[in-house]
Amino acid sequence: MLGRVAVVGTGLIGASAGLAARRAGAGRVSGWDPDGDVLRVAAERGAVEAAGTLAEAVAGADLVVVAAPVAELPATVRGVLDAASQGCAVTDVGSTKSAVCAAAGGDGRFIGGHPICGAETRGPERASAELFEGATWFLTPAAGTGPGLLRRVHGFVTALGARPVAIDPDAHDRLVALTSHLPHVLANVLLNQAGASRIDGHDPLQAAGGSLRDMTRVAGANPRIWVDIFLDNREALAAALGDQRRRLEQVEAALAAGDAGFLARWIAEAAGNRRRLLATAYDDPGALQRLRVHLPDRPGVLAGIFQALGAERINVEDFEMEHLSTDRGGTLTILVAGEREAGRAANLLEAQGYGVVVAPVIDE
């Protein structure tokens, strides 16, 4: 039994936490947000019971989830700790941890948290109880955190469908600087570089292929969120950028020297690391085959393809769609495990009139 839960900040993440807590059997989920419209929508969605004040929301709560913007987290968490009872556990969902943990001042009731479940949207109207399913949820307990409070937060995270992982706040910030914040920076750099360039009168963005699209998917993310994240984690992010710069300089030096050996080792190292990355999602990354299928832009095409594959019991491990234009249609990429299954899928789709290109996901 989750007991009574309070959510402070009822945007996308907070409202999703409220919906997930209700689904998991929380006795009551109260909520408060400084934006009355946001709170009203969250309440209308059934995520929370709206409270008039922060103090009213946390009164009698067994656990409080603080889902305020990163820049507001330290002050909001401090305010919640002042208002909450001594037996209440307090956690947050911020993507940086050092500043908010410092603001808690070692209060054992606060256990910092960060669910890795980003969504490229915002607002309680898009909240979902399934948002945290299968997600890693970092927890940063203080030295004075009692085992009972830690178990309560751990149980809450697990009940929402996530996987709790304990980590030091500073280590957390260095980790996400490398795995999340640096990719956002580099995506912006790549897209701005291409957007500011002209090659003999040609616009690179109009000639871009899948590589640029894939590497810049997160570019231009909401500045209201990401400016605060970049600044809050500036030291760890600057260190990651410095390491990135040194690695780029190594590639520059290899190109200047015509060092094919370095470049071959460098690419092979990346292939091995990509295999390790894919191993977190697939049982055997080396068996994955990629099928690229050109599709016309008309209703029912995707449904027909997946129905045909399903009828032949060909399992699709993953897929993505790249739309080119209304006239040119798009490219469907399907991942299938095993050369034999990929061949069956290709033959089936080619028999239906589609052009299919098959290649291994990892080129040995």
Side-chain angles (χ1 to χ4, degrees), residues 61-65 85 87-91 109-111 149 152-153:
D62 299 301
L63 184 146
V64 179
V65 180
S85 69
C88 178
V90 178
T91 189
R109 293 174 296 163
F110 179 69
I111 300 167
L149 292 178
R152 190 181 307 168
V153 176

Side-chain angles (χ1 to χ4, degrees), residues 2 8 26 31 44-45 56 77 80 176 243 248 251 267 276 279 288 293 296 305 323 339 350:
L2 293 183
V8 175
E44 289 174 351
R45 290 288 317 278
E56 181 184 330
V77 164
V80 168
V176 296
D243 185 44
L248 288 174
V251 177
I267 293 171
R276 289 174 54 207
L288 291 175
V293 188
I305 285 178
H323 188 260
E339 291 185 30
E350 286 171 347

Side-chain angles (χ1 to χ4, degrees), residues 247-285:
R247 292 172 182 272
L248 288 174
E249 288 170 352
Q250 290 177 336
V251 177
E252 285 183 302
L255 293 173
D259 190 343
F262 172 88
L263 294 174
R265 292 190 300 272
W266 178 67
I267 293 171
E269 179 185 4
N273 287 326
R274 185 160 186 263
R275 179 188 287 271
R276 289 174 54 207
L277 176 65
L278 292 175
T280 64
Y282 306 102
D283 291 335
D284 184 4

